[in-house]
Amino acid sequence: MAEGERAEHGGGGGGPGRPPQEGEAEALKSRANEYFKGKDYENAVKYYSEAIDLNPTNAIYYGNRSLAYLRTECYGYALADATKAIELDKKYIKGYYRRATSNMALGKFKAALRDYETVVKVKPNDKDAKMKYQECNKIVKQKAFERAIASDEHKRSVVDSLDIESMTIEDEYSGPKLDNGKVTLAFMKELMQWYKDQKKLHRKCAYQILVQVKEVLFKLPTLVETTLKETEKVTVCGDTHGQYYDLLNIFELNGLPSEMNPYIFNGDFVDRGSFSVEVILTLFGFKLLYPDHFHLLRGNHETDNMNQIYGFEGEVKAKYTAQMFALFSEVFEWLPLAQCINGKVLIMHGGLFSEDGVTLDDIRKIERNRQPPDSGPMCDLLWSDPQPQNGRSVSKRGVSCQFGPDVTKSFLERNHLDYIIRSHEVKPEGYEVTHDGKCITVFSAPNYCDQMGNKGSYIHLRGSDLRPEFHQFTAVPHPNVKPMAYANTLLQLGMM
C-alpha cells in the first residue's frame, strides 16, 4: 500500500501529561484503526468521528476518516475531510494525497493534479508521488487535447467508420459466431461457456453485437414502461460491476433469460470487476435475443469519466481496441434511464431528485443521448442516494444529493406510484428496504471488489401484487484476475 493510502497511527500531540480528552481521542483512533485494518470501514468511520468530537483540531483523525470514506466510495465526504485536515495542518502531506484521490475518483483531474504537485514539491524523492503526478498530468493534457479537437458539429458515429463485412474470422478461431449475423440461444450458450473458459469473442462478433444493440436501444424511450400480467413475473438485478462468474451464477440460480423469464438489469454492468467486457457483451447478446423481455438501464458507470478511471476503458483497449471503446461509449448513451412496471413501481439506478415536483413526464422528456451533466434530473437518476432523515442533504459521493423518506413519499404521491427500486450502493445483505418500505435497494455483485464480504440479491416482482420477493446469493470463485486490474494506475495503488 502506498504511503498516502495507509491509516495513520501517529500521535495526537502532547506527551504523557496531555489532557484526558486527548488521550481518550487517541484510544478511539486506535480502535478505529483496528476496524480499518479489518476492512470494517463503517465502524472505522464511527470511531474516527468520536475521536474528532473529542479533539476536533487533529488533522490525522480527519485524514484517516477520509481514507475510510474513500474505501466506501463516499468521495464527497472524503474530499471534505481531506480539505479539513489540510486546513488544520498545511504540512500534513497525507491530506493532499487523500484530497487528490477523492478528486480523481470524482473525475476532477485538474484539482487532483494541484495536490499531487504539492506532494512532489515537498517529497521530490517519493517515487509513488512522482508517478501519480505524472499519470494525473497525462490525463489533464489528454482531456485538454480532446476538448481542443472536439468540434461543435455532432460527432460522427464510430459505426460510420466500421466495415464489419470485410472483417475476416480466421480459420483457427473456434469460438462462437453469430448465425447469419444474428444472435441465437445456441450462440448465447456457447458464448457463456467460451467466456467461462476465459477465451475472447472474435472482434467481428463483438462489433456485430454492438452495432445491432445500438439500433435496438436507439428506438427505446428514456422511460421504459412495461406491463406485467397477473401471472407474470420479472427479475430485477442491481449492479454487476464486471463480476462475470457471479452473473453466470444468477442465471444458474434463477434460470436463463427467456420470454417466460424476463429480467431487468439496473445499471453498473462494467468497471471495477475485471470481466466487464464479458458481462456487457453477454447482457447485450440477451438484449438482442429478447428485446422485449430483457431490459437494461443505465448506471453512473456507463459513462466515459467513470470508465476512464475504474477499468472498463482499459479493459476494452487491452482485449480489443480504442475504437471499440468509443463504440461502447456511444451505445451506453442510448441506454434508458428508468423503467416503470404497471404504472406502480419505478426503477432507476441511483434515485430521486434534487428538486421537488419532478413527474414521470419530466423523465420521459430527458435527452439521454449524452454524457450525464453534473446536476439535474439525469444526473440524479444515475447518482443520488436515500438517507434516513427527512429532507435532502449534500451527497456523500460529491455528486447529486441524498433524499429522505418525505422526498420519496411526496414523489410517489405526485406520480401515483407505490415504491421505487434502485441500486448503486453495496448492502451487506444484498438489498435494503428503507423509507417505510417505499425505497428498495438491490445490489447483485456479491463480495464486491473481492473484499466487501456482502451478499448479492435479486428481486422477483409478480403482476398479481408487485410485492418484492428477495433472493440472496453469495460470491462464487473466479479466475485469478484481481478487480481493478485495468483501472487507472492512480486507483490501482492500494486504493479501492
Side-chain angles (χ1 to χ4, degrees), residues 164-366:
I164 297 175
E165 286 310 304
S166 68
M167 290 179 191
T168 50
I169 297 183
E170 301 73 18
D171 292 343
E172 57 268 28
Y173 174 77
S174 59
K177 298 176 192 139
L178 275 70
D179 187 354
N180 283 327
K182 292 276 176 276
V183 168
T184 60
L185 182 56
F187 168 83
M188 287 309 298
K189 287 179 175 173
E190 197 185 339
L191 176 68
M192 288 188 288
Q193 187 57 50
W194 187 250
Y195 276 161
K196 194 176 180 180
D197 297 338
Q198 283 188 276
K199 295 175 179 171
K200 192 169 85 168
L201 180 64
H202 195 280
R203 70 189 180 104
K204 178 171 184 169
C205 306
Y207 273 124
Q208 285 173 311
I209 288 171
L210 284 169
V211 169
Q212 289 175 34
V213 90
K214 185 184 172 192
E215 285 172 24
V216 170
L217 296 175
F218 166 77
K219 290 175 185 154
L220 293 175
T222 296
L223 171 62
V224 174
E225 296 175 72
T226 33
T227 304
L228 276 186
K229 294 190 185 126
E230 195 136 317
T231 53
E232 292 175 331
K233 72 159 194 193
V234 68
T235 301
V236 184
C237 298
D239 305 36
T240 43
H241 272 303
Q243 296 186 198
Y244 185 67
Y245 295 80
D246 293 309
L247 174 68
L248 291 183
N249 188 36
I250 291 173
F251 292 151
E252 188 75 29
L253 296 169
N254 193 57
L256 281 180
S258 69
E259 292 182 358
M260 302 305 291
N261 191 25
Y263 279 84
I264 298 168
F265 278 84
N266 194 22
D268 281 14
F269 320 119
V270 300
D271 280 341
R272 297 195 179 278
S274 297
F275 305 96
S276 292
V277 164
E278 290 78 1
V279 166
I280 193 62
L281 287 174
T282 300
L283 295 177
F284 280 169
F286 277 120
K287 180 67 188 167
L288 291 173
L289 190 56
Y290 306 115
D292 300 325
H293 299 85
F294 192 83
H295 305 281
L296 301 171
L297 302 177
R298 192 174 184 178
N300 63 305
H301 277 267
E302 279 68 58
T303 56
D304 288 355
N305 63 350
M306 292 290 112
N307 296 160
Q308 183 172 21
I309 305 165
Y310 293 100
F312 186 57
E313 181 177 345
E315 186 181 337
V316 177
K317 285 177 176 175
K319 294 176 180 177
Y320 294 102
T321 58
Q323 182 192 44
M324 189 180 284
F325 174 72
L327 183 52
F328 268 113
S329 170
E330 271 187 45
V331 176
F332 287 165
E333 292 189 346
W334 285 110
L335 285 163
L337 302 180
Q339 187 155 351
C340 193
I341 312 286
N342 290 10
K344 288 293 166 196
V345 180
L346 187 67
I347 304 169
M348 77 290 282
H349 179 72
L352 296 180
F353 305 94
S354 305
E355 292 177 357
D356 290 332
V358 177
T359 63
L360 294 184
D361 218 31
D362 293 324
I363 298 174
R364 290 183 190 104
K365 288 175 187 158
I366 294 172

Side-chain angles (χ1 to χ4, degrees), residues 111-124:
L113 186 62
R114 283 195 296 274
D115 283 335
Y116 285 133
E117 210 165 359
T118 304
V119 176
V120 169
K121 272 182 192 157
V122 175
K123 303 182 104 175

Side-chain angles (χ1 to χ4, degrees), residues 73-79 102 106 108 374 379 383 385 394-402:
E73 300 180 28
C74 296
Y75 302 125
Y77 289 175
L79 188 64
S102 309
L106 290 164
K108 295 176 178 174
D374 293 337
C379 172
W383 276 98
D385 294 294
V394 175
S395 168
K396 60 189 177 187
R397 299 175 190 268
V399 185
S400 184
C401 70
Q402 291 172 192

Side-chain angles (χ1 to χ4, degrees), residues 38-57:
K39 295 180 177 169
D40 181 348
Y41 303 119
E42 210 169 298
N43 269 316
V45 164
K46 181 183 166 201
Y47 288 106
Y48 288 137
S49 300
E50 288 183 18
I52 286 167
D53 288 343
L54 287 176
N55 184 2
T57 59

